[in-house]
Structure formats: structure tokens, C-alpha cells
Amino acid sequence: EDRDQHIKIGLEHLFREIGQMYEAATCIDDKEHLKEYVRYFPNIAARLLIDGHPVELMDGDAAHVPITWVKAVLREVVRELHDPKVFVLSILGVQSSGKSTLLN
């Protein structure tokens, strides 16, 4: 019972893995087979972003930025919106420093 209280898997964990799979698929030589499975990942993430759902594009726990994944998702956002002007706002700070207040 105590063990179950400490295990939490959120949607952000799924998006981290999807980003990693996309990055791995773009790095291998035989891309055709894997591309078949992952080529829609950026479009799905972009549509979720456009619909207002939070999508974790980078792994905040490991401070890893999957550049290929981020570029692919943002490229799809621009394509879906038919507008090359997409602005990204990011707030960094220590816990309880008023980041959410600033964004509101």
C-alpha cells in the first residue's frame, strides 16, 4: 500500500518517451522501418498543444533537450496554424518563486 503512493506516472512521462523514440528513430541508418511508426508523433503532439493540452517537450528532470523532437513539434505547430509566427514563453525559477503568478 505504501509503495503505490510513491509511484506516479503522468502524461509528461509518456511524452518524454515519445520524444526519445522520435530522436532515436531519426538517428539510425535504416530510417524507413522506424519512421513508419514515429513520423506522426510530432503532428500528434502539435495538435495537442494547439488544443491547449500541456505537452512536455523536454525532460525537465534530466535537463535534456531533444532538439530534433522540439524542432519537429514546433514545425508541425506552424504548419497546422498556417502561420510562421509562433511564440514560445518559458519561465524558469526555483520552487515557490512566483512563476505561476507571473504567467497568470
Side-chain angles (χ1 to χ4, degrees):
E1 188 174 313
D2 285 336
R3 195 178 115 215
D4 293 340
Q5 292 176 352
H6 299 289
I7 299 172
K8 293 186 181 186
I9 296 178
L11 195 55
E12 69 273 8
H13 297 102
L14 177 63
F15 280 113
R16 287 179 193 172
E17 295 304 315
I18 289 172
Q20 289 292 343
M21 289 182 345
Y22 185 82
E23 289 272 319
T26 59
C27 291
I28 62 170
D29 292 332
D30 183 21
K31 294 181 183 178
E32 292 306 314
H33 180 67
L34 280 176
K35 280 273 197 181
E36 180 179 326
Y37 298 102
V38 301
R39 69 176 169 209
Y40 299 110
F41 288 176
N43 184 264
I44 293 167
R47 290 194 334 239
L48 286 169
L49 274 171
I50 291 167
D51 288 342
H53 299 282
V55 175
E56 184 170 306
L57 294 177
M58 59 181 278
D59 186 348
D61 291 339
H64 173 68
V65 182
I67 297 295
T68 305
W69 169 243
V70 172
K71 284 182 180 180
V73 171
L74 293 179
R75 191 176 305 118
E76 288 296 315
V77 168
V78 169
R79 192 180 65 76
E80 288 284 324
L81 293 176
H82 308 292
D83 187 0
K85 296 178 184 172
V86 174
F87 297 98
V88 177
L89 175 64
S90 179
I91 301 292
L92 299 172
V94 295
Q95 184 175 357
S96 300
S97 63
K99 298 178 296 293
S100 295
T101 304
L102 181 62
L103 287 172
N104 290 331

